[in-house]
Amino acid sequence: MAKVYWTARDLSSFFMGNHQFILITFGANESSVKTKVNDENGTKFIILAGHQPQGNLIFLPNEPDDVKSVREVITPSSRGGWSDFDLERHSIKPPTGAGLSFANKLEELAYKYESNTKDNPVDYDLWDRNCATWVNTLLKVANVPESDRKKGGEFNGIDWGEEDLLDENLFK
């Protein structure tokens, strides 16, 4: 059965902050609608995330460091050199229906964000328009209750914006 997690890992360049994203794992006969599925030792997963190349908050599925952080948890021996992203994850309960339909909805909303911001990108801001804000808004638009989002967005280290929201229309 598909499971959804609000996930955080250490930043690639600064261990004190974190980067937040959605991790979706799939059961044996399940798959993603659009995103390429990663497979690590039989665990199938995708990652949906907001990232900030060139100062804009863009949707970037399966970003390599995000994928590597998940692989380090599934297969600890895959850590190379000093790399250790200290991945944390909090399970997000589907507001209605099965895990796979919820996972598909999140994926659909993420790609709507991509489409809606292609010609008018959102400026990235560390304090209130960042990866955590992107995840919180995605989950809100998918009808995850505020109490679940507040609990799910709390991680070790420094995180900003996990309770802030973007314009919800960006995901519709």
Side-chain angles (χ1 to χ4, degrees):
M1 169 183 261
K3 294 182 182 175
V4 174
Y5 301 92
W6 189 335
T7 310
R9 64 165 172 83
D10 291 346
L11 291 173
S12 302
S13 59
F14 183 62
F15 71 93
M16 291 189 65
N18 67 35
H19 168 65
Q20 298 184 19
F21 55 92
I22 295 289
L23 167 64
I24 299 172
T25 61
F26 295 100
N29 296 316
E30 297 175 327
S31 190
S32 163
V33 173
K34 190 170 184 177
T35 308
K36 177 186 176 281
V37 174
N38 301 284
D39 189 330
E40 179 72 16
N41 283 336
T43 300
K44 298 186 322 183
F45 67 94
I46 64 169
I47 294 168
L48 309 174
H51 281 270
Q52 58 102 4
Q54 290 88 36
N56 294 319
L57 183 58
I58 66 161
F59 167 54
L60 188 58
N62 292 330
E63 188 276 334
D65 282 348
D66 293 346
V67 171
K68 184 175 181 183
S69 72
V70 173
R71 287 190 164 137
E72 286 181 353
V73 169
I74 297 168
T75 310
S77 62
S78 70
R79 290 184 183 146
W82 58 270
S83 177
D84 178 6
F85 284 114
D86 292 326
L87 182 91
E88 291 180 74
R89 62 184 175 185
H90 302 148
S91 182
I92 301 296
K93 180 182 166 193
T96 58
L100 184 58
S101 63
F102 178 52
N104 291 341
K105 175 146 184 102
L106 290 174
E107 188 177 17
E108 173 189 335
L109 295 172
Y111 279 96
K112 284 183 180 179
Y113 176 90
E114 178 182 55
S115 176
N116 290 336
T117 59
K118 184 176 182 173
D119 294 329
N120 192 18
V122 173
D123 290 335
Y124 173 87
D125 180 278
L126 178 62
W127 308 108
D128 63 2
R129 286 186 312 275
N130 60 29
C131 57
T133 306
W134 189 92
V135 170
N136 189 37
T137 309
L138 173 68
L139 293 173
K140 182 174 193 287
V141 173
N143 298 316
V144 174
E146 182 177 14
S147 59
D148 291 356
R149 290 184 286 115
K150 281 187 176 184
K151 183 180 173 187
E154 291 300 320
F155 296 98
N156 290 324
I158 300 169
D159 41 57
W160 294 290
E162 74 276 5
E163 294 180 8
D164 293 338
L165 295 167
L166 300 168
D167 178 352
E168 293 177 35
N169 289 318
L170 296 170
F171 292 86
K172 296 179 181 176

